[in-house]
Each structure stands twice: as C-alpha cells, then as structure tokens.
Amino acid sequence: MPERQAVVVGAGIGGLTAAIALHRRGWHVTVCERAPELPITGAGIGLAPNALRALGTIGIDAAHAVGSAVPATMGLRRSDGRWLTRTDTADMAARYGVPPIAVPRSALTAALAAALPPEAIRYGTAVTAVDDAAGRPTVRTADGPDLSADLVVAADGIHSPLRRVYFPAHPGLHYIGETAWRTIVDAPDLRIPAMSETWGRGERFGVTPLSDGRYYLYATAIVPVGTRSADPRAELRRRFGSWHDPIPALLDRVGRLDPADVLQNDLHDLAAPLPRLHHGRIAWVGDAAHAMAPNLGQGGCQAIEDAVVLAHLLPAGDGDDGSDSVPAALVAYTAARRDRTDALRVRARRAGRLGSLRNPLVAAARDLAIRATPARLALRGMDDLFNGFRLPG
C-alpha cells in the first residue's frame, strides 16, 4: 500500500513536532513554510516536564539536542526583590521525573528540523488554500503545484488563516490587555542562579537562564492595544530600571542590543474554544487550535502535546487498514485534546490577571496569600500541568 501523505502548514514548533511524529509513524510528510528559511520567532522557550516527556515518546531528547541549564530555583518576586514563593528545581525533578529547561527558540526549531529528511521542508512555500470538500484535501500553494494529502495539519499560528476559513463564525482572537517585550542577552558575569518572574503593579519582568548560557528576558505591561515606543530599550529601562537586582544590570545589556532585537507583541488568546480541533481531514495544532496567554509557559508545550497525540491516534502511514480510519482518528484527537487545552487557555488568562493587578491593596493581599501558601502545596498545584500529558490508550 502506498504511504499515506500528510501536509503540515507551518514550520513552527507544533508543525515540526507533528511532522517528526508522523514521519516516524511511516507517513510521507511535506512541511510547507512560507518563510524563505527556518523561521525564528520569539526569543526563548520553556520546556516543562510534560513537553519533555511528549518529545521523548517520539525519540527527541531535547536536553541532549539543544543543551540543558537547570537553574537552582524558580519563583515569584516583588519589585523590591522579596521572594513571594520559591521552589527548588531538584524538588520538581523528583516529583515530575525531569526538571523544566529553557532553550533558545531558534535552537529548538533547528533541532526539530534536523530530525526530518532534508526534502521534507519546503521553504518559501505559502499555502493559499486547502480544499477539503472532495474527501481528500488538496493544498494549494502560491508558487508551486497543488499537493494532495490524506491529512493536513494546520500549524499556521495564532492568526491561522485556515482557522478563519473553516470556522468563520468563531469570534477569533481576544486582546488580554497586555503587551510583551522579549529578548535574549549575554551576561555571563552576572551568574544568575534562579528563574524568576517579578510582579509589580500592572507590570511583570521575567529572567530565565537558557541552555546556551545566555538569559531570556521578558516583560509585560497593561497598555492599550497597539501601543509602541520609539525605542523599546528605553521603554524597558523607564518601566523597570528601578526594580531589584539583577534587573538593572540586565537592562544595561539590553541597551547594547539593536532595537530590532527587542521583540514586542500584544498578547492575545482565543476569545472562545473552537467547536472542535478538526474539520474533515484537517487537524489544528498549537496556537492555531487554542492560542493562550503565555502566563503558564504552556503555549509551546501544548503544541508539542497536540502533535504527539495526533500522530499517536492516526493509523500508521504504511498500514493496510484503509484511509477511512483517518477521519475517525481526528474525532478522537478532538476528544483527547480540546478540553485539556481549553482549560489551560482559561487558566492562563486568569493567571495573567492575577499577576498584573494594579490596585495596591488588592496586590498586597495577593502577595500575602502567595507567601502564606506552603511550597509543597504550590508545587502540587502544577500536577495537572506537568503530569497531564497522556497518550490515549
């Protein structure tokens, strides 16, 4: 029997993971990426234990592929530097099997792309439409021949054109009220031992050691959508320059960067869940399926889970059970993934609201409640995130 054909739209983390998982299930996979080369979006990405386990099920050892630098502790701080909560990563490793790691996003996408046959990824190939009306999808591209497939994986990002086409009644994206700045700096002299997020009044600042020795920095602020400053470096210094060490020293390093190296994006999530994560023989993964705020660090992790579960449920690419099993597998995919990802979408939105409180009295009460929560209970509250990945039986 000929190999089943899959076309993946988008070479981000979810799309590449889906391509690897399907390839290892015996499918012939073509990844269509509109960028002329491997896209590098974002700056750093955290891989929580659930994502690391999911990657492991398809033979990807992320720590080996892109390096691992595990900070001694993780936690939340106030803008004066006082810790609200702190957890030893050794305790996380003991509870969840592996500690979380953070890596440059470009290194992760390069490692995933390298796990595919070189001819599998077609750069500079923009998908203009997917016709799923005849029972076997036809993928139309701007500059090449049409592609016929048994399956299309829509990994086309938060603004997913395919989502808009196939779910026209869906309300689309919701601005959560915050903008975010992201960048990476090289500061080996600072020797920062902790991964931390600091909460102010309507503002946050995160510091994450990366696997290559650099630091991934992110910051958020409540502003009207579309708000931009002439120089993001100066804006970060204005907002966060008086916060606790080592933030001022890190901002000195940011000041030496090209302004273009400081990314700014308004934060959106889906206004409501999709009615399902498939249509016919098209399956949505990652931000295209369930865009969520970054407050739990689970956006990329859930894209990885999606991809692995999807491939697990589909028939083998060289099997003899007939292609009619593909639609049923996609129904099972929606059943396996929709509730979990939507619950995390809602939880991430709520976590953002908690972290961005501006009323000083309410924020003080929040801080007291967090400090009063025993570390073991705070860690247990992550069980559904970090132990939530399951391959359907």
Side-chain angles (χ1 to χ4, degrees):
M1 179 178 175
E3 288 180 306
R4 289 187 172 92
Q5 307 285 319
V7 174
V8 179
V9 184
I13 289 169
L16 291 173
T17 304
I20 295 167
L22 289 166
H23 173 68
R24 295 184 177 180
R25 290 277 288 155
W27 286 66
H28 181 276
V29 180
T30 301
V31 181
C32 295
E33 170 52 50
R34 65 181 178 181
E37 57 187 5
L38 194 65
I40 302 174
T41 57
I45 182 171
L47 295 176
N50 54 306
L52 294 171
R53 282 199 300 272
L55 288 170
T57 66
I58 59 171
I60 300 295
D61 183 342
H64 176 75
V66 296
S68 175
V70 180
T73 59
M74 303 172 59
L76 296 174
R77 307 177 79 170
R78 300 193 325 182
S79 59
D80 62 5
R82 181 179 297 182
W83 288 94
L84 298 174
T85 182
R86 187 164 29 173
T87 302
D88 290 340
T89 50
D91 293 339
M92 297 186 71
R95 188 174 186 90
Y96 302 115
V98 292
I101 64 173
V103 302
R105 186 177 288 263
S106 59
L108 179 59
T109 53
L112 294 174
L116 289 167
E119 67 277 7
I121 307 178
R122 298 187 183 181
Y123 296 109
T125 302
V127 171
T128 58
V130 175
D131 182 359
D132 192 37
R136 181 176 168 83
T138 298
V139 178
R140 308 193 188 282
T141 62
D143 301 311
D146 295 343
L147 301 172
S148 183
D150 299 288
L151 168 73
V152 174
V153 179
D156 52 345
I158 189 170
H159 298 287
S160 175
L162 290 176
R163 183 182 66 225
R164 292 198 299 269
V165 169
Y166 281 95
F167 299 100
H170 188 271
L173 297 176
H174 158 262
Y175 178 52
I176 66 175
E178 292 180 280
T179 196
W181 298 267
R182 299 179 177 92
T183 194
I184 293 177
V185 298
D186 192 7
D189 55 305
L190 296 182
R191 302 180 183 275
I192 301 169
M195 178 188 301
S196 65
E197 181 171 290
T198 301
W199 289 356
R201 295 180 185 174
E203 297 173 326
R204 290 175 285 166
F205 196 99
V207 181
T208 302
L210 293 176
S211 59
D212 63 359
R214 296 181 295 168
Y215 296 96
Y216 168 44
L217 311 180
Y218 63 88
T220 69
I222 297 177
V223 297
V225 64
T227 300
R228 296 294 184 269
S229 60
D231 185 343
R233 303 167 304 176
E235 181 67 9
L236 288 171
R237 181 176 292 280
R238 182 183 73 80
R239 289 180 176 273
F240 304 102
S242 64
W243 286 25
H244 65 79
D245 292 333
I247 292 175
L250 289 166
L251 291 175
D252 285 341
R253 305 310 197 278
V254 173
R256 303 171 194 173
L257 299 175
D258 187 294
D261 291 331
V262 181
L263 307 177
Q264 183 180 357
N265 301 99
D266 294 333
L267 298 180
H268 295 80
D269 62 8
L270 278 195
L274 291 180
R276 58 191 179 280
L277 304 186
H278 72 283
H279 183 288
R281 292 173 181 267
I282 306 172
W284 280 260
V285 301
D287 282 347
H290 44 67
M292 62 184 68
N295 304 305
L296 301 177
Q298 281 288 310
C301 297
Q302 290 305 305
I304 290 168
E305 285 193 18
D306 289 343
V308 172
V309 170
L310 174 63
H312 173 77
L313 290 170
L314 285 161
D318 55 358
D320 59 1
D321 57 348
S323 60
D324 286 344
S325 59
V326 172
L330 298 190
V331 172
Y333 166 68
T334 284
R337 297 297 300 157
R338 183 179 179 274
D339 288 351
R340 171 165 168 78
T341 55
D342 190 56
L344 293 182
R345 178 188 67 85
V346 173
R347 181 172 170 181
R349 185 185 290 186
R350 290 174 177 167
R353 290 172 179 165
L354 185 67
S356 59
L357 291 173
R358 289 186 284 186
N359 182 292
L361 295 178
V362 177
R366 172 203 65 193
D367 294 350
L368 286 172
I370 293 173
R371 291 183 65 195
T373 303
R376 66 182 185 279
L377 293 182
L379 187 58
R380 188 182 303 168
M382 307 302 286
D383 284 358
D384 59 335
L385 289 182
F386 298 159
N387 281 336
F389 168 70
R390 296 286 187 278
L391 287 176

